[in-house]
Amino acid sequence: MSPDDADGANDEPVDDGTVDTDAYSDVWVFVEEHDGDVMTVSWELLAEARGLADDLGEDLVALVIGEDVDDVAGEAIERGADRALVADDPVFEPYRADPYGEQFRALVEERRPAIVLIGGTHTGRDFAGRVAVPAHAGLTADCTELGVDDDGLLEARRPAFGGNVLATIVCADHRPQMATVRPGVFAAAAPDPDRAGAVEQVDVVVDEADTVTEVRERVVGDTADITEADRIVAAGGGCNGDLSPVEALADALDADLAASRKAVDEGWVDGSRQVGQTGKTVRPDLYVAVGISGAVQHVEGMNDSDVVVAINDDPNAPIFDHADYGIVGDLFEVCPALAERVRDGEALAGSEADIEPEAQR
Amino acid sequence: MGDEPVIVVGVKQVPDDDEVRIDPDTGHLDRASAPAVMNPPDRNALEAALGLRDDAGGTVVAVTMGPPTATDVLEEAVAIGCDDAALITDRAFAGSDTWPTSLTLAAAAESLGADVFVCGEETTDSSTGQVPPGIAAHLGWAQLTYAEELDPEFDDETLVARRDVEGGHEVVAAELPVVVAVAYGEFEPRPAGLHRKLYAESEFEPIELSAEDIGLDDDEVGIDASPTEVGGMETVEPVERERVVVEGVDELADELAETEVFG
Ligand SMILES: Cc1cc2nc3c(=O)[nH]c(=O)nc-3n(C[C@H](O)[C@H](O)[C@H](O)COP(=O)(O)OP(=O)(O)OC[C@H]3O[C@@H](n4cnc5c(N)ncnc54)[C@H](O)[C@@H]3O)c2cc1C
Ligand SMILES: Nc1ncnc2c1ncn2[C@@H]1O[C@H](COP(=O)(O)O)[C@@H](O)[C@H]1O
């Protein structure tokens, strides 16, 4: 072990056999905020966890860590939490795994939650993986369904083997039972300003002097939320750096722009618009995949769309197996032509005709 | 840190996704018959580790926890440029979920005297991404996940990373020792050199370490130490799609006009 072990995270875990599972209760949701802005997935989790807490007859608790986060705690109550636990200190802004991890460890030891849900964002996964270890918690990544069984055990379901199988993961002998869920899997509930709940400030156990990381710069730009979009046009590797045809089509359809991981990795589209296993789950009425091959990791994120259209010049591209309508053709020709046809077509314009088409970038 | 940094890189053998076939009888994916390859994101990890050595010197040791057949990915890692490689193998590891897996890799890192432990973003077979933060937590080290650029300031016992955060990036400086998980697709892997490849295939033998060798008891690892278990598997019916391929834009527009989206 390193002598400058900053956060005691390497303390010996509690001996496996001796976890008194009955001593643990309540459902916690980690509310991920950055500078006061909450990631939507946290609200999605609160909505879903409300049902779990009701099934268990236990409290739903929002865990809010950050600086000046009283408003966030208040909103968490409005969005379904019975109580909020707030760790408020400059050491928690911006997010760092080591101070967050140490604060969480202390809270779990003291308060003993039965279930902890965390958004599957980069920050959420960074946090979840870190905190599950000292607690010797069971952690299931990227769940798509959550439930509790007759014994009150969390049943965390996640796709396995390329999505053909849904595996149910349980954690019988360890607490807390933890799960991460990717953005867009559940729907967020609207806030109810009449809801009341207690906001409790907890002791901050972390000292800046003990941290082992320093954030030198943080730049966040496009944080588009594509999970609520009714129509999506998604760009893939086939675009070859030129997004104009895709944007024109998105514009004509009054749709939001999204992308495959390839298009994101190439830097053509921002990461907040990525669809798929390591991006967002979307379920629009219409999903148009442009120059996207249809890898399982992509399809997983768009399979709940109502109508899927694929534009690809390779007739054997797997995307055609996951599409309702496909055109085999060059996207640089098909997109502008379809955009024009959409603009002209009476039938296609439909009820949207009176709405000014507007770029959604 | 000693005089020369020791950079350990975690690589895992996984079934080749591109070769996974559908079993005609059951309709399930048949992963068992797929050839085993190096987890694609670990190629990026390997490149990141070699890049650190290019910049700051030291040695790069590839590590895998797996069955003896996983030696193949270690050979590949050595062919690409790792100085050495270690196979962490023991029957006691069977059934490990991420908790004991990260404990095992953490213990291996200590045995090898690692200053930096580089991992991939996630594996394609278990796809949790939890192992790297888990290793860091077991060791009480700093962690830098979703790294897209690395800048060793080893003279100051520091590693700086540019991390991908949703909608932007951040630059984080971490004290050594540190666990890094690199963003998949960043750090374009270099090809294996011919000379190195011959060496890896003919002469090279990995270091082999058991649970005991890295200071772990059998009951600290494997299925007994795994908090999670699979409670059941259900087949998911594939989403039904029309799968109509139309000839041209007009026909597509006509079809779309029939759908509820525009109806
Ligand atoms: C751990 C892991 C996680 C991942 N997570 C995700 C994820 O969340 N989301 C995701 O999308 N991917 C993800 N991937 C990557 C995924 O495996 C694929 O590599 C990726 O989806 C490919 O993107 P693409 O289809 O846009 O690009 P490509 O594979 O490059 O395909 C381009 C397609 O465009 C077509 N094309 C080329 N030119 C034209 C043209 N002029 N006109 C029409 N068509 C054309 C080609 O025929 C081809 O089908 C992940 C991979 C791993 C290993
Ligand atoms: N058995 C293993 N041996 C070596 N490295 C591993 C192993 N399992 C996971 N890793 C590393 O941890 C990363 C994330 O894996 P995972 O958390 O399983 O998605 C991988 O990309 C590897 O770098």
Side-chain angles (χ1 to χ4, degrees), chain A residues 1 126 130 168 216 221 277, chain B residues 110 122 141 145 167 170-171 231:
Chain A
M1 301 285 159
D126 186 79
R130 177 116 191 159
T168 302
R216 292 188 180 170
Q277 184 208 317
Chain B
E110 287 201 299
E122 60 178 50
W141 291 8
T145 56
E170 61 181 26
V171 176

Side-chain angles (χ1 to χ4, degrees), chain A residues 236-325:
Chain A
C239 294
N240 221 348
D242 181 2
L243 289 190
S244 54
V246 182
E247 285 167 347
L249 183 57
D251 197 34
L253 285 167
D254 193 17
D256 280 20
L257 178 75
S260 72
R261 176 148 186 168
K262 175 77 179 267
V264 169
D265 285 348
E266 294 289 342
W268 309 331
V269 181
D270 195 85
S272 57
R273 295 178 186 268
Q274 181 185 318
V275 170
Q277 184 208 317
T278 47
K280 287 176 176 151
T281 301
V282 295
R283 42 178 63 76
D285 302 332
L286 175 69
Y287 189 88
V288 187
V290 184
I292 291 178
S293 58
V296 283
Q297 293 97 345
H298 185 80
V299 172
E300 219 169 82
M302 51 70 103
N303 232 351
D304 292 333
S305 308
D306 276 348
V307 175
V308 175
V309 174
I311 302 171
N312 197 302
D313 65 1
D314 173 7
N316 296 318
I319 191 71
F320 289 119
D321 293 337
H322 304 283
D324 296 295
Y325 305 103

Side-chain angles (χ1 to χ4, degrees), chain A residues 324-340:
Chain A
D324 296 295
Y325 305 103
I327 291 196
V328 179
D330 184 350
L331 70 92
F332 293 95
E333 286 159 23
V334 175
C335 287
L338 185 59
E340 199 180 313

Side-chain angles (χ1 to χ4, degrees), chain B residues 115-201:
Chain B
D115 297 294
V116 181
F117 195 137
V118 188
C119 293
E121 177 176 318
E122 60 178 50
T123 49
T124 52
D125 60 344
S126 52
S127 60
T128 73
Q130 288 159 10
V131 166
I135 298 170
H138 278 296
L139 294 167
W141 291 8
Q143 70 191 48
L144 297 166
T145 56
Y146 300 97
E148 38 183 34
E149 269 172 41
L150 292 175
D151 184 10
E153 296 180 359
F154 288 170
D155 290 343
D156 296 328
E157 300 272 316
T158 300
L159 179 64
V160 182
R162 181 181 149 117
R163 300 184 61 226
D164 180 3
V165 295
E166 273 92 357
H169 72 267
E170 61 181 26
V171 176
V172 184
E175 284 173 28
L176 298 186
V178 60
V179 176
V180 178
V182 305
Y184 172 56
E186 303 292 337
F187 302 97
E188 185 72 36
R190 65 190 69 183
L194 185 59
H195 186 71
R196 221 36 219 167
K197 214 167 165 177
L198 285 174
Y199 165 74
E201 279 163 14

Side-chain angles (χ1 to χ4, degrees), chain B residues 44-238:
Chain B
N44 302 125
L46 208 60
E47 176 57 34
L50 295 173
L52 284 178
R53 187 186 62 188
D54 293 345
D55 286 352
T59 50
V60 177
V61 185
V63 167
T64 195
M65 173 190 126
T69 47
T71 303
D72 289 355
V73 292
L74 296 179
E75 278 181 10
E76 203 178 335
V78 168
I80 294 172
C82 291
D83 299 287
D84 208 343
L87 174 70
I88 319 297
T89 192
D90 201 307
R91 296 190 96 107
F93 297 145
S96 290
D97 73 0
T98 49
W99 198 95
T101 299
S102 49
L103 176 69
T104 304
L105 291 170
E110 287 201 299
S111 298
L112 297 166
D115 297 294
V116 181
F117 195 137
V118 188
C119 293
E121 177 176 318
E122 60 178 50
T123 49
T124 52
D125 60 344
S126 52
S127 60
T128 73
Q130 288 159 10
V131 166
I135 298 170
H138 278 296
L139 294 167
W141 291 8
Q143 70 191 48
L144 297 166
T145 56
Y146 300 97
E148 38 183 34
E149 269 172 41
L150 292 175
D151 184 10
E153 296 180 359
F154 288 170
D155 290 343
D156 296 328
E157 300 272 316
T158 300
L159 179 64
V160 182
R162 181 181 149 117
R163 300 184 61 226
D164 180 3
V165 295
E166 273 92 357
H169 72 267
E170 61 181 26
V171 176
V172 184
E175 284 173 28
L176 298 186
V178 60
V179 176
V180 178
V182 305
Y184 172 56
E186 303 292 337
F187 302 97
E188 185 72 36
R190 65 190 69 183
L194 185 59
H195 186 71
R196 221 36 219 167
K197 214 167 165 177
L198 285 174
Y199 165 74
E201 279 163 14
S202 52
E203 283 171 60
F204 168 75
E205 290 288 336
I207 310 162
E208 217 178 287
L209 299 171
S210 67
E212 197 188 339
D213 292 336
I214 54 175
L216 296 176
D217 291 336
D218 284 3
D219 59 359
E220 283 180 278
V221 293
I223 197 157
D224 290 344
S226 298
T228 61
E229 59 194 291
V230 178
M233 291 273 202
E234 282 162 62
T235 312
V236 185
E237 288 306 316

